[in-house]
Amino acid sequence: MSRTVMSVKTMNDKDQGHIVFSALDDTSHSVHAYNINGTSLGSKYVSGRVTGLATASDYIVVADDAGDITVSRLNGLKPVFDIPLHIPIQTVVVTPGNTHILAPLRDGRLAVIAVQVPIGNIKKHSVINV
């Protein structure tokens, strides 16, 4: 019997009953989502080291050390849109009301991203570096 050892790097629990975490095994980084009853909502491998993780309504926001923010649906972790900032991201926070994403960057700036919930195929976001 073989065993895979994973270490949990980032975790976020939400008052809606979702648990989301990033993990690292010997060769890859991954993100996993579960409901409070332990049912898997989705898992996916990610290319870079996850530096920030947040949930907003039915979405998960993942930031990585390559400077990318990915917004995915919580169920199935299907990506909705990517925001390339090209500067390593320290962490990620979603404001109350789920209207903005705050991402402190490694160079000392703060990216403030205004997000509108996607309707159909229209995906909108605006990035302001402070």
Side-chain angles (χ1 to χ4, degrees), residues 50-66:
V50 175
T51 57
L53 195 62
T55 55
S57 185
D58 292 331
Y59 299 92
I60 177 174
V61 181
V62 179
D64 66 28
D65 61 353

Side-chain angles (χ1 to χ4, degrees), residues 43-123:
S43 294
K44 70 177 181 176
Y45 287 102
V46 292
S47 58
R49 182 176 64 92
V50 175
T51 57
L53 195 62
T55 55
S57 185
D58 292 331
Y59 299 92
I60 177 174
V61 181
V62 179
D64 66 28
D65 61 353
D68 294 322
I69 293 176
T70 303
V71 177
S72 303
R73 295 195 185 284
L74 190 58
N75 287 319
L77 299 184
K78 183 170 249 177
V80 177
F81 57 82
D82 294 319
I83 305 168
L85 298 177
H86 306 292
I87 298 170
I89 301 166
Q90 298 293 97
T91 190
V92 68
V93 176
V94 177
T95 60
N98 302 329
T99 58
H100 292 80
I101 299 170
L102 306 176
L105 307 177
R106 193 168 293 157
D107 67 1
R109 292 185 293 167
L110 175 67
V112 179
I113 304 157
V115 179
Q116 294 179 339
V117 176
I119 300 171
N121 289 333
I122 301 170
K123 303 169 186 173

